[in-house]
Amino acid sequence: LETRQGIGTSGKSSSSLGIAIKRRIQKSDLLETLEFRLALEREAAQLAAERRSNEDLQHIEGCLERCREAAKRSEPQHFIDMDIAFHKSVVKATHNQMFIELYDHITDSLQNLVHELMSGRDPLNDENIIHMDLYEAIRLKDARLAIESVNAYMKKAKESLYTMMEE
């Protein structure tokens, strides 16, 4: 909070970029947001496969396990939270501070997209297989396979979006 004499008290974000990104995503349609996420996550997956440490890999694996547990218990909101944690752990493994900060800023806005897209899908069957494929690509340090994994994930997400739009 910032207090200025004659003006009053107002909230002040630690990042004007974060506020601008959030506003822009809120004004975008779901397809634009999904395409933006695809571009970001594709590059992040490639960089994570190239740069990940053993510690990064352990963190990604832990997030993957929490996704599996939430899916097995049929806890959709917990699964979405763990899904986002999984993707954030991949982004963190890029060791690129700009990617990490940008992804942190868009996470809240993307959470709505993830929730809408997953409402018509079975997370146990779809997401866990895709997460495992991405994890394996990063474990093997195979950047090409990591990109292919993200492309497959986003193809399914787009199909879900198109199905949602037709309903």
Side-chain angles (χ1 to χ4, degrees), residues 110-124:
L110 289 179
Q111 196 164 22
N112 294 333
L113 171 65
V114 171
H115 183 66
E116 287 187 47
L117 291 175
M118 292 181 66
S119 63
R121 294 164 63 187
D122 180 358
L124 186 59

Side-chain angles (χ1 to χ4, degrees), residues 1-3 13 15 26-27 35 38-40 46 54-55 67 95 100 108 127 136 138 149 152 159-160 167:
L1 291 176
E2 178 181 50
T3 304
S13 171
S15 169
Q26 288 171 343
K27 291 179 184 176
E35 290 170 344
L38 169 62
L40 187 62
Q46 177 181 345
N54 288 335
E55 183 180 310
C67 281
H95 297 273
I100 295 165
D108 289 342
E127 305 301 322
E136 280 299 312
I138 293 170
S149 176
E159 289 169 359
S160 291
E167 294 175 349

